[in-house]
Amino acid sequence: MRHALFTLFIAAVAAGRSLSAHHSYSAYDTDRIMHVEGVLEEFAWVAPHSLIKVKDEDGRLYVFEWQAPGPLQRRGVQQDTLKKGDRLVLTGNPHRGFDENRILNFKSVRRPADGWKFPNW
């Protein structure tokens, strides 16, 4: 019995560590905020993280890693909230390998055409 409880405890600790590791921001430079303005190429409504792909006026593609669909829906964002061709202004923390991958951790988005923004405060 003691062996079974110990095994269960180790499994629970290991599961907790992998979950917290998944949500670590260590891959991002959290001391920097970048502003990107561009046209939406794709809004990938996927788990575990939705992706906003935006191309700036110089043709550079940026990928913003956002929340999963479930949490976004609870905060009023739907799969069709952002549409290809929308002009967006976004902020995010750049990935530590940003020069190679152009990935940012999402912080905010605003659609100037109608004033929609997230977060909405």
Side-chain angles (χ1 to χ4, degrees):
M1 178 68 169
R2 205 180 280 179
H3 179 68
L5 287 174
F6 179 74
T7 302
L8 183 61
F9 172 77
I10 295 299
V13 168
R17 285 184 188 263
S18 65
L19 280 175
S20 65
H22 174 81
H23 290 282
S24 169
Y25 294 103
S26 64
Y28 297 96
D29 183 351
T30 56
D31 292 330
R32 282 181 55 206
I33 295 275
M34 291 184 62
H35 298 263
V36 175
E37 184 169 347
V39 175
L40 181 66
E41 291 288 312
E42 180 183 1
F43 179 30
W45 187 255
V46 296
H49 298 282
S50 294
L51 301 173
I52 300 173
K53 299 178 182 181
V54 175
K55 202 172 268 189
D56 72 7
E57 64 182 25
D58 295 327
R60 293 177 295 226
L61 185 68
Y62 298 84
V63 179
F64 286 81
E65 189 177 56
W66 204 2
Q67 296 175 342
L72 287 174
Q73 283 180 315
R74 287 190 291 276
R75 295 186 68 189
V77 178
Q78 302 302 318
Q79 188 170 2
D80 63 352
T81 297
L82 301 175
K83 295 177 179 58
K84 186 173 181 167
D86 283 349
R87 179 158 291 284
L88 303 173
V89 179
L90 300 107
T91 63
N93 302 115
H95 191 275
R96 294 196 187 280
F98 179 78
D99 292 337
E100 292 82 35
N101 62 28
R102 317 273 319 156
I103 295 174
L104 298 106
N105 182 42
F106 174 92
K107 291 296 174 197
S108 70
V109 61
R110 181 173 49 88
R111 186 173 45 219
D114 62 2
W116 180 86
K117 62 185 178 177
F118 184 96
N120 58 3
W121 32 273

